[in-house]
mmCIF file of all heavy atoms in Angstrom:
data_model
loop_
_atom_site.group_PDB
_atom_site.id
_atom_site.type_symbol
_atom_site.label_atom_id
_atom_site.label_comp_id
_atom_site.label_asym_id
_atom_site.label_seq_id
_atom_site.Cartn_x
_atom_site.Cartn_y
_atom_site.Cartn_z
ATOM 1 N N THR A 1 -32.072 7.965 -19.434
ATOM 2 C CA THR A 1 -31.447 6.647 -19.409
ATOM 3 C C THR A 1 -29.994 6.756 -19.849
ATOM 4 O O THR A 1 -29.660 7.533 -20.751
ATOM 5 C CB THR A 1 -32.190 5.665 -20.322
ATOM 6 O OG1 THR A 1 -32.257 6.206 -21.661
ATOM 7 C CG2 THR A 1 -33.599 5.405 -19.824
ATOM 8 N N LEU A 2 -29.147 5.956 -19.224
ATOM 9 C CA LEU A 2 -27.712 6.021 -19.506
ATOM 10 C C LEU A 2 -27.150 4.615 -19.555
ATOM 11 O O LEU A 2 -27.382 3.816 -18.639
ATOM 12 C CB LEU A 2 -27.016 6.841 -18.417
ATOM 13 C CG LEU A 2 -25.546 7.209 -18.608
ATOM 14 C CD1 LEU A 2 -25.195 8.477 -17.823
ATOM 15 C CD2 LEU A 2 -24.632 6.085 -18.163
ATOM 16 N N ALA A 3 -26.416 4.289 -20.614
ATOM 17 C CA ALA A 3 -25.751 2.997 -20.739
ATOM 18 C C ALA A 3 -24.314 3.117 -20.257
ATOM 19 O O ALA A 3 -23.564 3.978 -20.723
ATOM 20 C CB ALA A 3 -25.777 2.514 -22.184
ATOM 21 N N ARG A 4 -23.943 2.267 -19.302
ATOM 22 C CA ARG A 4 -22.556 2.184 -18.807
ATOM 23 C C ARG A 4 -21.940 0.974 -19.505
ATOM 24 O O ARG A 4 -22.205 -0.169 -19.159
ATOM 25 C CB ARG A 4 -22.555 1.993 -17.292
ATOM 26 C CG ARG A 4 -21.185 1.693 -16.685
ATOM 27 C CD ARG A 4 -21.369 0.982 -15.352
ATOM 28 N NE ARG A 4 -20.123 0.649 -14.702
ATOM 29 C CZ ARG A 4 -19.411 -0.458 -14.925
ATOM 30 N NH1 ARG A 4 -19.825 -1.342 -15.844
ATOM 31 N NH2 ARG A 4 -18.291 -0.692 -14.257
ATOM 32 N N VAL A 5 -21.103 1.227 -20.500
ATOM 33 C CA VAL A 5 -20.639 0.148 -21.373
ATOM 34 C C VAL A 5 -19.180 -0.175 -21.104
ATOM 35 O O VAL A 5 -18.311 0.708 -21.140
ATOM 36 C CB VAL A 5 -20.821 0.529 -22.855
ATOM 37 C CG1 VAL A 5 -20.316 -0.609 -23.754
ATOM 38 C CG2 VAL A 5 -22.282 0.828 -23.152
ATOM 39 N N HIS A 6 -18.925 -1.448 -20.826
ATOM 40 C CA HIS A 6 -17.559 -1.941 -20.710
ATOM 41 C C HIS A 6 -17.485 -3.241 -21.490
ATOM 42 O O HIS A 6 -18.493 -3.917 -21.718
ATOM 43 C CB HIS A 6 -17.201 -2.191 -19.240
ATOM 44 C CG HIS A 6 -17.815 -3.429 -18.684
ATOM 45 N ND1 HIS A 6 -19.176 -3.560 -18.501
ATOM 46 C CD2 HIS A 6 -17.253 -4.619 -18.313
ATOM 47 C CE1 HIS A 6 -19.429 -4.763 -18.011
ATOM 48 N NE2 HIS A 6 -18.294 -5.433 -17.887
ATOM 49 N N GLY A 7 -16.308 -3.609 -21.944
ATOM 50 C CA GLY A 7 -16.168 -4.864 -22.677
ATOM 51 C C GLY A 7 -16.983 -4.859 -23.958
ATOM 52 O O GLY A 7 -17.119 -3.842 -24.632
ATOM 53 N N ALA A 8 -17.558 -6.019 -24.275
ATOM 54 C CA ALA A 8 -18.264 -6.181 -25.541
ATOM 55 C C ALA A 8 -19.687 -5.645 -25.469
ATOM 56 O O ALA A 8 -20.409 -5.899 -24.504
ATOM 57 C CB ALA A 8 -18.298 -7.650 -25.934
ATOM 58 N N ALA A 9 -20.063 -4.894 -26.488
ATOM 59 C CA ALA A 9 -21.449 -4.460 -26.690
ATOM 60 C C ALA A 9 -21.773 -4.769 -28.148
ATOM 61 O O ALA A 9 -21.663 -3.907 -29.026
ATOM 62 C CB ALA A 9 -21.621 -2.977 -26.382
ATOM 63 N N LEU A 10 -22.151 -6.001 -28.393
ATOM 64 C CA LEU A 10 -22.296 -6.499 -29.756
ATOM 65 C C LEU A 10 -23.756 -6.749 -30.093
ATOM 66 O O LEU A 10 -24.536 -7.143 -29.231
ATOM 67 C CB LEU A 10 -21.515 -7.812 -29.915
ATOM 68 C CG LEU A 10 -20.062 -7.800 -29.421
ATOM 69 C CD1 LEU A 10 -19.428 -9.180 -29.617
ATOM 70 C CD2 LEU A 10 -19.255 -6.725 -30.114
ATOM 71 N N GLY A 11 -24.133 -6.534 -31.342
ATOM 72 C CA GLY A 11 -25.499 -6.803 -31.774
ATOM 73 C C GLY A 11 -26.497 -6.087 -30.887
ATOM 74 O O GLY A 11 -26.519 -4.867 -30.796
ATOM 75 N N GLY A 12 -27.330 -6.874 -30.200
ATOM 76 C CA GLY A 12 -28.315 -6.282 -29.303
ATOM 77 C C GLY A 12 -27.698 -5.447 -28.203
ATOM 78 O O GLY A 12 -28.317 -4.506 -27.702
ATOM 79 N N GLY A 13 -26.463 -5.779 -27.804
ATOM 80 C CA GLY A 13 -25.779 -4.965 -26.808
ATOM 81 C C GLY A 13 -25.510 -3.561 -27.318
ATOM 82 O O GLY A 13 -25.667 -2.577 -26.585
ATOM 83 N N MET A 14 -25.119 -3.461 -28.590
ATOM 84 C CA MET A 14 -24.956 -2.140 -29.197
ATOM 85 C C MET A 14 -26.308 -1.459 -29.321
ATOM 86 O O MET A 14 -26.414 -0.234 -29.196
ATOM 87 C CB MET A 14 -24.277 -2.261 -30.552
ATOM 88 C CG MET A 14 -24.003 -0.927 -31.234
ATOM 89 S SD MET A 14 -22.854 -1.110 -32.609
ATOM 90 C CE MET A 14 -23.074 0.451 -33.456
ATOM 91 N N GLY A 15 -27.356 -2.254 -29.550
ATOM 92 C CA GLY A 15 -28.702 -1.698 -29.599
ATOM 93 C C GLY A 15 -29.118 -1.086 -28.279
ATOM 94 O O GLY A 15 -29.720 -0.014 -28.235
ATOM 95 N N LEU A 16 -28.784 -1.751 -27.167
ATOM 96 C CA LEU A 16 -29.103 -1.199 -25.854
ATOM 97 C C LEU A 16 -28.400 0.129 -25.637
ATOM 98 O O LEU A 16 -28.989 1.091 -25.137
ATOM 99 C CB LEU A 16 -28.691 -2.189 -24.758
ATOM 100 C CG LEU A 16 -29.485 -3.488 -24.657
ATOM 101 C CD1 LEU A 16 -28.842 -4.405 -23.619
ATOM 102 C CD2 LEU A 16 -30.938 -3.216 -24.305
ATOM 103 N N ALA A 17 -27.110 0.178 -25.995
ATOM 104 C CA ALA A 17 -26.347 1.409 -25.835
ATOM 105 C C ALA A 17 -26.940 2.535 -26.674
ATOM 106 O O ALA A 17 -26.948 3.705 -26.264
ATOM 107 C CB ALA A 17 -24.886 1.176 -26.207
ATOM 108 N N SER A 18 -27.448 2.191 -27.857
ATOM 109 C CA SER A 18 -28.025 3.194 -28.759
ATOM 110 C C SER A 18 -29.414 3.634 -28.319
ATOM 111 O O SER A 18 -29.790 4.792 -28.521
ATOM 112 C CB SER A 18 -28.104 2.626 -30.179
ATOM 113 O OG SER A 18 -26.830 2.250 -30.648
ATOM 114 N N ALA A 19 -30.174 2.728 -27.731
ATOM 115 C CA ALA A 19 -31.534 3.062 -27.312
ATOM 116 C C ALA A 19 -31.549 3.977 -26.100
ATOM 117 O O ALA A 19 -32.487 4.764 -25.916
ATOM 118 C CB ALA A 19 -32.324 1.789 -27.024
ATOM 119 N N CYS A 20 -30.523 3.876 -25.247
ATOM 120 C CA CYS A 20 -30.433 4.767 -24.096
ATOM 121 C C CYS A 20 -30.138 6.189 -24.564
ATOM 122 O O CYS A 20 -29.515 6.407 -25.603
ATOM 123 C CB CYS A 20 -29.338 4.296 -23.144
ATOM 124 S SG CYS A 20 -29.755 2.806 -22.204
ATOM 125 N N ASP A 21 -30.561 7.166 -23.777
ATOM 126 C CA ASP A 21 -30.335 8.568 -24.127
ATOM 127 C C ASP A 21 -28.853 8.911 -24.192
ATOM 128 O O ASP A 21 -28.425 9.720 -25.026
ATOM 129 C CB ASP A 21 -30.990 9.492 -23.088
ATOM 130 C CG ASP A 21 -32.493 9.338 -23.017
ATOM 131 O OD1 ASP A 21 -33.109 9.005 -24.046
ATOM 132 O OD2 ASP A 21 -33.060 9.555 -21.925
ATOM 133 N N ILE A 22 -28.081 8.333 -23.277
ATOM 134 C CA ILE A 22 -26.673 8.687 -23.114
ATOM 135 C C ILE A 22 -25.863 7.399 -23.026
ATOM 136 O O ILE A 22 -26.322 6.412 -22.459
ATOM 137 C CB ILE A 22 -26.468 9.528 -21.835
ATOM 138 C CG1 ILE A 22 -27.312 10.804 -21.883
ATOM 139 C CG2 ILE A 22 -24.993 9.877 -21.618
ATOM 140 C CD1 ILE A 22 -27.442 11.519 -20.546
ATOM 141 N N CYS A 23 -24.660 7.423 -23.582
ATOM 142 C CA CYS A 23 -23.764 6.272 -23.508
ATOM 143 C C CYS A 23 -22.407 6.738 -23.006
ATOM 144 O O CYS A 23 -21.788 7.635 -23.601
ATOM 145 C CB CYS A 23 -23.623 5.607 -24.873
ATOM 146 S SG CYS A 23 -22.411 4.264 -24.932
ATOM 147 N N VAL A 24 -21.948 6.135 -21.908
ATOM 148 C CA VAL A 24 -20.599 6.363 -21.384
ATOM 149 C C VAL A 24 -19.867 5.035 -21.467
ATOM 150 O O VAL A 24 -20.333 4.032 -20.921
ATOM 151 C CB VAL A 24 -20.628 6.885 -19.933
ATOM 152 C CG1 VAL A 24 -19.213 7.081 -19.415
ATOM 153 C CG2 VAL A 24 -21.404 8.195 -19.849
ATOM 154 N N ALA A 25 -18.737 5.011 -22.157
ATOM 155 C CA ALA A 25 -18.062 3.757 -22.458
ATOM 156 C C ALA A 25 -16.645 3.735 -21.893
ATOM 157 O O ALA A 25 -15.960 4.763 -21.838
ATOM 158 C CB ALA A 25 -18.006 3.523 -23.964
ATOM 159 N N SER A 26 -16.210 2.557 -21.496
ATOM 160 C CA SER A 26 -14.820 2.332 -21.130
ATOM 161 C C SER A 26 -13.950 2.358 -22.385
ATOM 162 O O SER A 26 -14.404 2.006 -23.483
ATOM 163 C CB SER A 26 -14.698 0.967 -20.442
ATOM 164 O OG SER A 26 -13.361 0.501 -20.457
ATOM 165 N N THR A 27 -12.702 2.740 -22.210
ATOM 166 C CA THR A 27 -11.769 2.701 -23.339
ATOM 167 C C THR A 27 -11.567 1.283 -23.851
ATOM 168 O O THR A 27 -11.102 1.086 -24.980
ATOM 169 C CB THR A 27 -10.404 3.280 -22.934
ATOM 170 O OG1 THR A 27 -9.925 2.592 -21.761
ATOM 171 C CG2 THR A 27 -10.497 4.770 -22.638
ATOM 172 N N LYS A 28 -11.917 0.294 -23.042
ATOM 173 C CA LYS A 28 -11.782 -1.112 -23.444
ATOM 174 C C LYS A 28 -13.053 -1.651 -24.102
ATOM 175 O O LYS A 28 -13.095 -2.817 -24.508
ATOM 176 C CB LYS A 28 -11.450 -1.975 -22.228
ATOM 177 C CG LYS A 28 -10.182 -1.559 -21.487
ATOM 178 C CD LYS A 28 -8.954 -1.657 -22.364
ATOM 179 C CE LYS A 28 -7.691 -1.332 -21.568
ATOM 180 N NZ LYS A 28 -6.477 -1.359 -22.427
ATOM 181 N N ALA A 29 -14.082 -0.833 -24.211
ATOM 182 C CA ALA A 29 -15.339 -1.291 -24.811
ATOM 183 C C ALA A 29 -15.166 -1.505 -26.311
ATOM 184 O O ALA A 29 -14.377 -0.822 -26.973
ATOM 185 C CB ALA A 29 -16.446 -0.274 -24.556
ATOM 186 N N GLN A 30 -15.924 -2.445 -26.834
ATOM 187 C CA GLN A 30 -15.972 -2.685 -28.270
ATOM 188 C C GLN A 30 -17.415 -2.883 -28.686
ATOM 189 O O GLN A 30 -18.171 -3.583 -28.011
ATOM 190 C CB GLN A 30 -15.151 -3.911 -28.664
ATOM 191 C CG GLN A 30 -13.647 -3.719 -28.583
ATOM 192 C CD GLN A 30 -12.900 -4.813 -29.307
ATOM 193 O OE1 GLN A 30 -13.353 -5.966 -29.355
ATOM 194 N NE2 GLN A 30 -11.767 -4.485 -29.902
ATOM 195 N N PHE A 31 -17.775 -2.273 -29.796
ATOM 196 C CA PHE A 31 -19.135 -2.332 -30.317
ATOM 197 C C PHE A 31 -19.119 -3.003 -31.684
ATOM 198 O O PHE A 31 -18.110 -3.004 -32.383
ATOM 199 C CB PHE A 31 -19.709 -0.914 -30.468
ATOM 200 C CG PHE A 31 -19.736 -0.101 -29.206
ATOM 201 C CD1 PHE A 31 -18.612 0.602 -28.797
ATOM 202 C CD2 PHE A 31 -20.892 -0.018 -28.445
ATOM 203 C CE1 PHE A 31 -18.635 1.371 -27.637
ATOM 204 C CE2 PHE A 31 -20.929 0.749 -27.290
ATOM 205 C CZ PHE A 31 -19.798 1.444 -26.885
ATOM 206 N N ALA A 32 -20.273 -3.539 -32.076
ATOM 207 C CA ALA A 32 -20.424 -4.054 -33.445
ATOM 208 C C ALA A 32 -21.876 -4.379 -33.716
ATOM 209 O O ALA A 32 -22.602 -4.823 -32.821
ATOM 210 C CB ALA A 32 -19.569 -5.302 -33.672
ATOM 211 N N THR A 33 -22.286 -4.139 -34.947
ATOM 212 C CA THR A 33 -23.537 -4.706 -35.443
ATOM 213 C C THR A 33 -23.112 -5.950 -36.228
ATOM 214 O O THR A 33 -22.889 -5.903 -37.427
ATOM 215 C CB THR A 33 -24.301 -3.713 -36.336
ATOM 216 O OG1 THR A 33 -23.397 -3.156 -37.303
ATOM 217 C CG2 THR A 33 -24.890 -2.590 -35.517
#
């Protein structure tokens, strides 16, 4: 599983990115718990 992350990945969104095996993020992505 791979998360393609752009823009906001907040709360549960960060959880999705973490639950996937691999995370590839845009330079514009932002994460937060």
Side-chain angles (χ1 to χ4, degrees):
T1 56
L2 188 155
R4 172 203 180 274
V5 179
H6 76 293
L10 310 179
M14 183 166 165
L16 291 174
S18 301
C20 287
D21 298 330
I22 302 166
C23 174
V24 179
S26 161
T27 54
K28 302 299 184 183
Q30 288 195 328
F31 302 84
T33 48

